[in-house]
């Protein structure tokens, strides 16, 4: 019969990758208590990660929509973006900064060389339409690890090249954000390809977010900069995204 203690030990070893000391009699030294405390914290984090790991449904190539609607801004139309697009994004760089030990400046070639994932998923816009497409891109998690995310970082912010609304005097840059569980989700990628071809301008060239467990407005297009922050309060209107801010403003006065 497997005792509760030994099965707990096996569980701990399997989940955490280390084994508690072999002695059955508990003689706790300070350092044992400290490492048990650390293990408990780790277990909590591992459980949150597992809980946050539910996968969005994936489809087959036969399911891909013949026409994928483009929505929101279809071209940032700033002189800077136009110059990048004219040069095929050869001089474009993705900046990764904020609460990281090693800020990065990545070319498209760097992103192509990073650990990648391809996924066929359904995009759902709150306006009431859905399309299925295939996305290929660099996994966000390894890039954040490469940058050396600091322990104080709690959210990842995506700063985009486009302003919204494009013709308004009070235009604001589009942005979005993810918490760390979603940032490290296996289906969270920085997509540079759509349906096997370089990302078209209307769909966010040269780089857009695919965070598949979220609605369309989370899928930030035209990403220029990724910033690790502790709090979303000072970013945009403080609600984690351009449309999140706007909904708040829209409903606040009612
Ligand atoms: N930078 C930026 N990202 C954006 C938007 C935008 O206007 N600007 N629109 C959002 C909305 S509401 C949707 S539905 C999708 C549309 O992506 P698509 O054009 O590839 O269909 O992008 C999202 N990401
Ligand atoms: Mo949308």
């Amino acid at each position: 019969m497997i005792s509760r203690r030994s099965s707990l030990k096996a569980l701990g070893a399997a989940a955490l990758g280390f084994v508690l000391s072999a002695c059955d009699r508990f003689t706790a030294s300070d350092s044992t208590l400290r490492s048990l405390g650390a293990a408990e914290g780790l277990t909590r984090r591992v459980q949150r990660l597992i809980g946050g790991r539910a996968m969005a449904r994936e489809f087959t190539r036969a399911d891909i929509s013949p026409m994928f609607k483009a929505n929101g801004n279809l071209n940032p139309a700033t002189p800077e973006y136009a110059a990048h697009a004219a040069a095929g994004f050869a001089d474009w760089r993705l900046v990764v900064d904020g609460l990281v030990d090693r800020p990065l400046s990545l070319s498209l070639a760097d992103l192509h060389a990073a650990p990648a994932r391809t996924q066929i998923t359904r995009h759902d816009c709150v306006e009431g339409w859905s399309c299925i497409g295939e996305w290929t891109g660099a996994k966000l998690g390894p890039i954040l690890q490469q940058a050396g995310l600091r322990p104080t970082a709690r959210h990842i912010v995506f700063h985009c090249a486009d302003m919204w609304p494009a013709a308004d005097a009070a235009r604001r840059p589009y942005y979005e954000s993810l918490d760390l569980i979603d940032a490290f989700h296996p289906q969270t990628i920085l997509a540079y390809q759509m349906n096997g071809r370089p990302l078209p301008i209307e769909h966010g060239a040269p780089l857009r977010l695919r965070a598949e467990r979220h609605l369309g407005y989370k899928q930030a297009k035209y990403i220029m900069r990724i910033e690790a922050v502790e709090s979303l309060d000072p970013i945009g209107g403080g609600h984690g995204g351009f449309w999140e801010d706007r909904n708040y403003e829209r409903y606040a006065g009612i």
Side-chain angles (χ1 to χ4, degrees):
M1 198 180 108
I2 302 172
S3 75
R4 183 163 179 268
R5 178 177 294 169
S6 60
S7 58
L8 274 179
K9 234 192 255 178
L11 259 181
L16 304 173
F18 67 86
V19 192
L20 295 173
S21 101
C23 61
D24 282 323
R25 201 160 39 94
F26 197 62
T27 52
S29 69
D30 275 4
S31 68
T32 313
L33 281 177
R34 265 201 304 277
S35 57
L36 279 174
E40 263 175 41
L42 184 55
T43 307
R44 255 199 306 279
R45 269 175 285 152
V46 166
Q47 279 169 349
R48 275 196 73 205
L49 278 173
I50 292 168
R53 253 164 209 259
M55 298 285 275
R57 179 168 171 203
E58 294 194 17
F59 297 80
T60 69
R61 288 228 159 104
D63 300 316
I64 292 176
S65 305
M67 259 278 296
F68 197 113
K69 182 177 161 65
N71 202 36
N73 277 329
L74 307 186
N75 189 326
T78 63
E80 192 194 353
Y81 181 85
H84 280 310
F89 300 101
D91 302 323
W92 171 92
R93 293 287 182 280
L94 172 72
V95 170
V96 182
D97 64 2
L99 296 173
V100 298
D101 288 333
R102 297 175 291 278
L104 306 174
S105 170
L106 302 172
S107 67
L108 266 185
D110 294 332
L111 288 160
H112 276 262
R117 191 173 201 277
T118 294
Q119 56 208 26
I120 301 174
T121 53
R122 198 185 64 208
H123 175 108
D124 298 310
C125 173
V126 288
E127 291 170 6
W129 55 271
S130 299
C131 288
I132 292 174
E134 182 187 68
W135 307 98
T136 300
K139 298 177 69 160
L140 179 59
I143 288 179
L144 296 175
Q145 273 164 339
Q146 193 189 333
L149 209 54
R150 295 205 183 132
T152 44
R154 304 242 338 258
H155 304 271
I156 306 301
V157 180
F158 305 86
H159 297 281
C160 305
D162 57 317
M163 301 292 225
W164 239 97
D168 200 307
R171 40 200 226 132
R172 298 220 177 141
Y174 199 93
Y175 79 99
E176 258 303 335
S177 65
L178 293 175
D179 69 17
L180 293 190
I181 301 271
D182 281 324
F184 282 88
H185 187 277
Q187 287 169 312
T188 297
I189 63 173
L190 300 171
Y192 43 70
Q193 265 180 29
M194 177 188 189
N195 296 336
R197 315 181 117 172
L199 193 60
I201 285 182
E202 66 267 31
H203 291 293
L207 198 70
R208 68 114 32 104
L209 180 66
R210 292 303 311 177
E212 303 297 356
R213 296 184 313 167
H214 291 275
L215 289 167
Y217 60 78
K218 273 274 180 211
Q219 321 301 331
K221 309 194 278 189
Y222 317 113
I223 300 173
M224 303 299 283
R225 176 179 170 220
I226 295 179
E227 183 190 11
V229 300
E230 184 167 6
S231 164
L232 294 171
D233 293 350
I235 314 287
H239 295 91
F242 179 84
W243 285 114
E244 287 89 332
D245 291 343
R246 202 159 178 92
N247 283 337
Y248 171 79
E249 284 167 18
R250 192 181 295 150
Y251 293 124
I254 296 175

